[in-house]
Every structure is written in C-alpha cells, then in structure tokens.
Amino acid sequence: MSGSVSGSSSEASSGSSVFRVLLRMQIHSGMEQEFEQTWFQVGQAVTDHPANLGQWLARSQEEEGVYYIVSDWADEQRFREFEHSQGHLAHRTRLHPFRSGGTMTTMQVVYAMTGTGTDPR
C-alpha cells in the first residue's frame, strides 16, 4: 500500500495520497462460496487498473453473509474513471446476482502504519 512503512508499528507515514473505497455487501444466503469464487475470478478487472494499489475481500465474523471489500487507489479522480469504465461495469454485472444489499464508503487515508507481526500462512 502506498504510504505504508516497513518496520515497527510505532513508525507511520502520511497516507494522504491514498484514496480508499470500502464496500459492504450482503450476499444471498447459500451463495457465499460462489460469490467468493466469482469475486476472485473477476478481481483482475480492479487490480489490473494502473491506479489500483490493491484490494481485499473479507468475510464478517459477526454477520452471516456480509462481506467487506477494501480497495486502495492512487487518487479519487482515477478511481472515479475506473468506476465509470466498461471493465468495472462487467465486474459489477457478474457480482450483482449475489447481492441482496450493500453500501459504499470512500475515504482519504491520513496515516498508514505497518505492524511487526508475522503472517501465520
């Protein structure tokens, strides 16, 4: 992620250039596994965009059928260009049948901090 710093979590850098999008998606009951697979298959439509810095899919531990998608972008203007592109339209079209609801929140990253923990995978 742009603006992140390697090393101890006490180190921080300004993340002011990073534009973050957070989607909350409610998936129809029984369609969660197929949604995850389809999201992964069409995910290149997002990560192939030159302004995309990365994206993540997370399943809620508290709410059944709720997923969060986080994507980081170099800036808002280029995210909005992608949002209105044919590539994104195709991406949304493939995922729409799984959704029973959702919201989108956008934000500007103020600071980014990287922890020192190790990934158990």
Side-chain angles (χ1 to χ4, degrees):
M1 176 177 90
S2 176
S4 66
V5 176
S6 297
S8 97
S9 61
S10 63
E11 297 178 39
S13 67
S14 171
S16 62
S17 65
V18 176
F19 183 74
R20 180 163 289 165
V21 178
L22 172 64
L23 301 173
R24 181 188 184 278
M25 294 179 69
Q26 178 71 45
I27 303 304
H28 293 291
S29 181
M31 298 183 80
E32 296 88 355
Q33 189 66 31
E34 189 179 355
F35 164 73
E36 291 178 19
Q37 292 170 354
T38 302
W39 183 89
F40 185 74
Q41 291 168 0
V42 301
Q44 283 307 127
V46 176
T47 55
D48 281 349
H49 192 281
N52 182 262
L53 305 174
Q55 67 170 334
W56 300 263
L57 174 66
R59 183 181 334 110
S60 175
Q61 294 293 317
E62 288 87 26
E63 299 175 276
E64 190 171 329
V66 171
Y67 288 82
Y68 294 93
I69 300 168
V70 177
S71 62
D72 285 352
W73 297 83
D75 56 54
E76 182 176 4
Q77 177 183 344
R78 290 190 282 173
F79 164 72
R80 298 297 181 189
E81 289 169 4
F82 170 76
E83 184 181 33
H84 301 321
S85 71
Q86 289 300 317
H88 183 59
L89 177 60
H91 184 255
R92 283 190 358 229
T93 300
R94 294 260 327 262
L95 294 174
H96 185 73
F98 301 103
R99 292 177 59 158
S100 63
T103 60
M104 181 173 97
T105 303
T106 60
M107 60 200 80
Q108 197 73 38
V109 175
V110 177
Y111 285 105
M113 300 174 76
T114 303
T116 60
T118 58
D119 187 349
R121 288 180 273 155

